[in-house]
C-alpha cells in the first residue's frame, strides 16, 4: 500500500513524485529501509559517538536522520514485547557513557560492548558497559510504561565487577526515554536530557 510521508528527498527512494516537490510517495517499507540505511551510514565511522562530539556538522546530519526515523515511527507502539531484548550501542550523544568508553584505557582496560538490557514483563532495565574478558559495570533500574513510546525508569543500584571481586554502588536518579523507532534490527531513542541513542539487537542475551 503506497504511503506519502514528509522526509528529506536527499535520501528518499526514487519514485513517482506528486506535484508538491517535498512529498515522496513509495511503500512504507522502502522508505523505512532507505532512511535507516542513511542513518546507519552516517554513524558507521563515529566510534559509537566519540568522534561526533568534535564534529557538529556530522551531529546535525545524524539528528536530522533520526528525526526522519521518528516520522516513520510516529503512531507506532514501541513499548510492547518487542522492546524486550539485549540492545547493543551503535551511537549515542550521552557524554557519561562516551567518557567511560573513550577513557577505559586509562584504567588498564578497554570497553567492549555497551548494552541496554530490557525486560518489559519483569519491568527491568540494565545499562551495561563490558570490559573484556571479565569486567563489567552495570546499572539496574525499574521501569514503567508511560505511553506507547515512553518508558519511565528509576535507578535501583549499580555494580562494578571484575573476575573475582564486586563493588556495589548506590542508586542515583530517574528519568524517561522514548523509543521513537523500532523494528526487527534497530531501535532509536531519545531521553529526558535530549540525548539520542541508536542500538541494534546484540547477537547474544546478557545476564547478570
Amino acid at each position: 500500500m503506497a504511503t506519502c510521508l514528509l522526509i528529506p528527498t536527499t535520501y528518499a527512494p526514487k519514485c513517482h513524485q506528486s506535484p508538491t516537490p517535498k512529498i515522496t510517495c513509495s511503500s512504507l517499507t522502502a522508505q523505512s529501509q532507505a532512511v535507516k540505511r542513511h542513518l546507519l551510514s552516517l554513524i558507521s565511522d563515529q566510534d559509537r559517538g566519540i568522534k561526533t562530539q568534535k564534529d557538529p556538522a556530522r551531529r546535525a546530519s545524524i539528528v536530522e536522520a533520526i528525526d526522519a526515523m521518528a516520522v516513520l515511527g510516529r503512531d507506532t507502539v514501541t513499548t510492547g514485547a518487542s522492546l524486550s531484548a539485549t540492545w547493543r550501542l551503535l551511537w549515542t550523544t550521552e557524554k557519561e557513557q562516551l567518557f567511560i568508553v573513550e577513557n577505559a584505557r586509562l584504567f588498564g582496560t578497554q570497553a567492549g560492548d555497551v548494552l541496554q538490557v530490557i525486560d518489559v514483563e519483569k519491568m527491568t532495565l540494565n545499562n551495561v558497559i563490558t570490559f573484556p574478558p571479565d569486567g563489567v559495570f552495570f546499572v539496574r533500574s525499574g521501569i514503567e510504561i508511560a505511553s506507547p513510546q515512553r518508558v519511565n525508569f528509576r535507578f535501583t543500584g549499580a555494580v562494578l565487577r571484575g573476575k573475582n571481586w564486586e563493588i556495589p554502588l548506590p542508586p542515583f536518579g530517574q528519568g524517561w526515554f522514548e523509543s521513537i523507532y523500532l523494528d526487527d534490527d534497530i531501535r532509536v531513542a531519545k531521553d529526558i536530557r535530549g540525548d539520542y541513542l541508536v542500538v541494534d539487537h546484540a547477537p547474544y542475551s546478557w545476564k547478570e
Side-chain angles (χ1 to χ4, degrees), residues 105-118:
R105 65 185 185 279
L106 300 178
F107 302 95
T109 186
Q110 61 181 6
D113 286 343
V114 180
L115 309 168
Q116 269 197 344
V117 185
I118 301 173

Side-chain angles (χ1 to χ4, degrees), residues 33-205:
Q33 292 302 314
V35 177
K36 183 168 73 172
R37 284 195 300 270
H38 180 66
L39 173 62
L40 294 177
S41 176
L42 285 171
I43 67 176
S44 62
D45 62 350
Q46 293 301 292
D47 197 9
R48 293 188 277 199
I50 292 172
K51 294 180 180 179
T52 317
Q53 296 178 107
K54 299 178 181 179
D55 190 343
R58 177 62 68 90
R59 186 185 192 279
S61 296
I62 293 171
V63 171
E64 181 182 7
I66 287 174
D67 288 342
M69 297 293 288
V71 172
L72 294 172
R74 184 183 299 161
D75 300 324
T76 62
V77 177
T78 59
T79 52
S82 57
L83 182 60
S84 295
T86 296
W87 298 99
R88 179 177 54 184
L89 178 67
L90 299 178
W91 182 86
T92 189
T93 58
E94 188 174 311
K95 293 179 180 179
E96 291 84 356
Q97 281 193 346
L98 294 175
F99 178 84
I100 295 173
V101 171
E102 185 175 15
N103 293 286
R105 65 185 185 279
L106 300 178
F107 302 95
T109 186
Q110 61 181 6
D113 286 343
V114 180
L115 309 168
Q116 269 197 344
V117 185
I118 301 173
D119 190 320
V120 173
E121 183 178 355
K122 295 180 179 178
M123 307 300 282
T124 60
L125 161 68
N126 281 312
N127 287 301
V128 182
I129 301 177
T130 63
F131 303 101
D134 301 307
V136 63
F137 172 67
F138 61 95
V139 180
R140 301 185 185 102
S141 302
I143 63 172
E144 63 177 9
I145 306 304
S147 74
Q149 294 196 339
R150 180 173 292 191
V151 173
N152 296 331
F153 63 86
R154 181 186 296 272
F155 298 125
T156 58
V159 173
L160 180 62
R161 178 183 293 163
K163 184 174 182 179
N164 297 309
W165 55 269
E166 179 174 303
I167 301 174
L169 302 169
F172 49 95
Q174 60 185 352
W176 57 260
F177 66 87
E178 291 180 341
S179 297
I180 56 179
Y181 180 86
L182 173 67
D183 66 17
D184 292 338
D185 303 313
I186 70 169
R187 180 169 61 90
V188 181
K190 65 179 182 180
D191 68 20
I192 190 173
R193 301 192 305 179
D195 282 318
Y196 296 94
L197 180 80
V198 182
V199 292
D200 70 355
H201 276 280
Y204 58 88
S205 296

